[in-house]
Amino acid sequence: GKKSHKLSFAFGVFDSRPEVQQQRKKRENIVHSLRGEDLFLFLRSILIVTFSCCRQSLDLSDSDVGHCIAATANMICNDVIRYQYDTRRKNRLNFDEFGQWYNEGGFERAPWLELLDLKKWVLPEDARSSRKPDEAVSSVAKAMSPALHNAEPAIPPPPPEDALDP
């Protein structure tokens, strides 16, 4: 799905107001909004997933990754809540207001939100090459093979190359 659909869905998940829980049970239309603490958790969750997909985070200690995620989520949360208070004198924001913050410059503060659009991910060269799909899968399997063979014995070895679907 689109980046905005993913963000909107997650926005609703982090709306912790008790009345929202009751509205969900009644299947009423809900305009989700987040306060600062909810927004921090929302942003932190996105950063956790993003960091887990980033090879560079493997070069950092767990503590450093956790600190970086928390500090970044806190910085962006403060920026968004300050924007919301300055423009509307409110300490909660809904998804459309979050989108307005993003479009009015938040994209420069939180460019990693663009990674929710999978089209913006840089894939391995093999996945984008002009080779036939079965050749691309075969070469990716070969490239992953040493890592898989050095893995724990409980993990089965990769399938033979001729067993891969084209």
Side-chain angles (χ1 to χ4, degrees):
K2 296 173 77 174
K3 174 182 61 172
S4 60
H5 293 137
K6 293 172 191 170
L7 285 170
S8 178
F9 173 80
F11 216 81
V13 170
F14 285 90
D15 188 345
S16 65
R17 294 175 293 167
E19 63 269 20
V20 169
Q21 307 308 320
Q22 293 170 354
Q23 289 173 328
R24 280 186 185 136
K25 289 177 187 173
K26 295 177 184 178
R27 303 227 185 251
E28 295 177 11
N29 282 341
I30 304 166
V31 176
H32 293 288
S33 66
L34 304 181
R35 58 189 168 88
E37 292 173 34
D38 298 331
L39 181 62
F40 170 81
L41 295 173
F42 167 76
L43 294 167
R44 188 182 72 163
S45 71
I46 295 169
L47 285 163
I48 288 169
V49 171
T50 304
F51 265 73
S52 71
C53 297
C54 179
R55 193 206 64 74
Q56 288 85 346
S57 64
L58 297 174
D59 298 334
L60 302 171
S61 70
D62 292 346
S63 174
D64 288 343
V65 169
H67 176 75
C68 184
I69 288 171
T72 302
N74 191 49
M75 176 188 69
I76 299 304
C77 180
N78 288 338
D79 192 60
V80 173
I81 294 298
R82 187 178 319 108
Y83 169 86
Q84 179 68 349
Y85 188 78
D86 290 348
T87 57
R88 295 181 182 83
R89 298 286 183 235
K90 292 178 6 185
N91 63 357
R92 298 187 73 84
L93 78 156
N94 63 37
F95 180 70
D96 290 336
E97 293 163 343
F98 180 77
Q100 186 178 359
W101 165 82
Y102 186 78
N103 291 331
E104 289 183 11
F107 61 90
E108 293 175 349
R109 303 271 294 155
W112 40 268
L113 287 171
E114 288 297 317
L115 294 175
L116 293 173
D117 180 352
L118 297 180
K119 294 176 191 158
K120 302 213 174 148
W121 283 77
V122 177
L123 301 175
E125 183 176 284
D126 290 330
R128 294 201 184 242
S129 72
S130 60
R131 293 186 229 159
K132 295 177 190 170
D134 59 334
E135 291 175 340
V137 169
S138 174
S139 77
V140 169
K142 282 181 189 173
M144 293 176 64
S145 185
L148 291 172
H149 289 298
N150 293 331
E152 296 179 29
I155 299 174
E161 289 180 28
D162 59 348
L164 297 174
D165 291 333

